[in-house]
Amino acid sequence: MEESLIQDLTSLTRLCASLRDHPWIALDTEFMRTRTYYARLCLVQVATPEIIACVDTIALPTIEPLLEIIYSPDVLKVIHSARQDLEVFADIRGTPPAPVFDTQIAASLCGYDDQIGYGSLVESITGHKLPKLHTRADWEARPLPLDQLHYAEDDVRYLRDVYQLLAQKLEGLGRTDWLREECAALTDPGLYRNDAREAFRRLKQGQSLPPATQMILRELAAWRELAAQKHNLPRGWVASDAALVETALATPTTVEALGQIAGMGGSPVRKGGEEIVHAIQHGLTMKPERLWEEPRRLDRGQQALYEHLQTRVRAIAEQMKISATLLAPRRELLKLIAGDSSGSLVRGWRRAVIGEELMQLCGNPAATVTAS
């Protein structure tokens, strides 16, 4: 099948028939979300060893046949830095597609930088230098300029070679299961649920507020999240973070008083004034508590232990030729020191490679081997 821009259902059906029997596809998306809460999917690029195609999701009345391929458990989706792409699909279907092979994670497990970009990885593996054009392109505009379309094609064209080389490297290093574990976590549906009751965590300014005011702020953040979803508007277009904090501090109990607060006079706020006042009143009835945990501070002994753990992590990471922060992030070391058994170092490949030793150094009774 020749390279093509798919803009009608007949062509899409033909493309999907060609994709259906492939064990893996290279996949990328182009989307816009500057004026909406949910990303607007504009283009889906797919490739196999024989195919490169760009599916125009704006021109098509549905992309359901393509989604059937993307959501097939028998088709491995090869994506670079997959989190945002998976979020777009999760918004469409309520859950992300799986299984996934994230080439950024795979590269880090093969010794490349943790957050290596697609262009750098392509150049390192294939020798081809990708142009940096169209990184801020308007993907909603139609018709798509030819050079912009070629840019989109390149996002999957070279991903095929990158995938095949990284898959071979992982197999040779005995780390294929490590990647499978990392990507399984990445496709956990829980990562993509925007729980309105947890929306307050985006408001870092709230950490310094009194507990009673934090209760009100949580209710206001939940209102904003639901309003943004309902009207499909960016959160900041409904009400800014600063406006929510100011409202929580002022505690207006009438719509009139609410309207006096800067930033709370927009259309969604005007239409939802009663809801906002109700949210404030509900927050006032709640028992005050601190919603944000205090930063974990180490005493002298814990700091010494942390530094010792870091030394071991760096030594093992160097032996394995992978990043120390990938092997054992700071937050995971702090969990071990605190006796928290929910972290990634106490399960899976990290436990086998380094977790057992670190747990023993921390005096964790869950450790089962003797440190060397």
Side-chain angles (χ1 to χ4, degrees):
M1 182 174 179
E2 295 181 356
E3 300 176 13
S4 57
L5 176 62
I6 307 298
Q7 294 183 298
D8 62 83
L9 285 177
T10 300
S11 298
L12 180 64
T13 301
R14 188 162 55 246
L15 169 66
C16 292
S18 300
L19 295 174
R20 190 163 288 115
D21 294 330
H22 285 274
W24 62 268
I25 58 172
L27 179 65
D28 190 41
T29 66
E30 305 297 345
F31 56 87
M32 302 289 288
R33 69 184 325 157
T34 54
R35 298 182 296 273
T36 58
Y37 179 90
Y38 298 104
R40 186 185 187 193
L41 184 59
C42 302
L43 201 69
V44 179
Q45 304 98 287
V46 293
T48 68
E50 303 83 19
I51 298 169
I52 299 176
C54 294
V55 177
D56 187 346
T57 58
I58 291 178
L60 287 159
T62 179
I63 60 164
E64 192 58 32
L66 180 61
L67 290 177
E68 289 298 316
I69 302 293
I70 291 172
Y71 275 82
S72 170
D74 299 322
V75 177
L76 181 67
K77 277 65 68 172
V78 180
I79 312 174
H80 186 81
S81 189
R83 179 69 183 262
Q84 286 191 320
D85 300 283
L86 296 179
E87 183 179 1
V88 172
F89 289 119
D91 283 347
I92 294 172
R93 278 209 169 183
T95 186
V100 163
F101 184 108
D102 189 318
T103 53
Q104 187 178 68
I105 299 174
S108 67
L109 290 173
C110 290
Y112 293 86
D113 290 343
D114 284 8
Q115 302 296 320
I116 189 168
Y118 178 63
S120 297
L121 188 58
V122 167
E123 186 173 3
S124 176
I125 289 177
T126 72
H128 181 82
K129 189 174 181 65
L130 292 172
K132 295 184 179 181
L133 304 172
H134 308 298
T135 54
R136 298 184 181 276
D138 181 359
W139 291 101
E140 291 180 293
R142 292 296 182 273
L144 285 169
L146 190 59
D147 60 340
Q148 193 170 321
L149 183 60
H150 288 162
Y151 171 89
E153 290 172 348
D154 282 349
D155 281 343
V156 289
R157 186 190 312 278
Y158 300 100
L159 191 56
R160 300 174 297 185
D161 293 334
V162 167
Y163 160 63
Q164 291 174 338
L165 184 137
L166 290 177
Q168 289 176 353
K169 280 193 172 184
L170 287 171
E171 188 66 29
L173 292 167
R175 298 175 185 176
T176 300
D177 287 343
W178 298 11
L179 179 73
R180 193 173 291 120
E181 183 184 321
E182 295 294 297
C183 290
L186 186 63
T187 56
D188 177 1
L191 286 178
Y192 305 94
R193 296 192 188 108
N194 289 323
D195 184 355
R197 300 301 301 169
E198 295 295 311
F200 71 91
R201 299 190 187 281
R202 296 177 176 274
L203 301 164
K204 300 304 182 184
Q205 309 96 309
Q207 296 182 47
S208 59
L209 297 178
T213 308
Q214 289 185 16
M215 298 297 99
I216 299 170
L217 185 61
R218 177 169 63 183
E219 299 306 310
L220 289 171
W223 164 79
R224 182 179 71 170
E225 194 74 10
L226 292 172
Q229 292 172 359
K230 177 181 178 181
H231 299 290
N232 194 22
L233 291 172
R235 296 178 185 88
W237 287 23
V238 175
S240 68
D241 292 357
L244 292 188
V245 172
E246 181 63 27
T247 302
L249 288 166
T251 321
T253 55
T254 65
V255 175
E256 292 73 23
L258 176 68
Q260 301 304 308
I261 299 173
M264 296 299 282
S267 177
V269 177
R270 287 196 304 271
K271 294 177 181 178
E274 293 290 348
E275 293 178 3
I276 300 171
V277 170
H278 177 74
I280 293 169
Q281 292 171 338
H282 186 241
L284 287 169
T285 66
M286 304 186 75
K287 181 181 178 181
E289 60 176 294
R290 298 208 66 85
L291 297 176
W292 284 270
E293 292 183 7
E294 294 291 331
R296 188 172 292 170
R297 299 183 183 278
L298 303 180
D299 59 31
R300 184 175 299 178
Q302 290 173 325
Q303 182 63 35
L305 176 58
Y306 173 73
E307 292 172 3
H308 184 42
L309 297 184
Q310 270 199 322
T311 298
R312 288 298 301 142
V313 169
R314 284 193 291 265
I316 294 174
E318 187 174 349
Q319 291 172 10
M320 300 176 65
K321 294 182 170 51
I322 63 174
S323 162
T325 55
L326 170 70
L327 180 60
R330 172 182 166 82
R331 66 179 180 277
E332 300 299 329
L333 293 177
L334 293 178
K335 284 181 181 180
L336 276 190
I337 292 171
D340 183 343
S341 60
S342 67
S344 63
L345 289 170
V346 300
R347 63 178 185 272
W349 70 269
R350 286 185 177 85
R351 176 167 183 152
V353 170
I354 195 173
E356 289 281 1
E357 176 180 345
L358 298 184
M359 282 190 289
Q360 188 184 41
L361 291 173
C362 290
N364 191 317
T368 59
V369 298
T370 302
S372 57

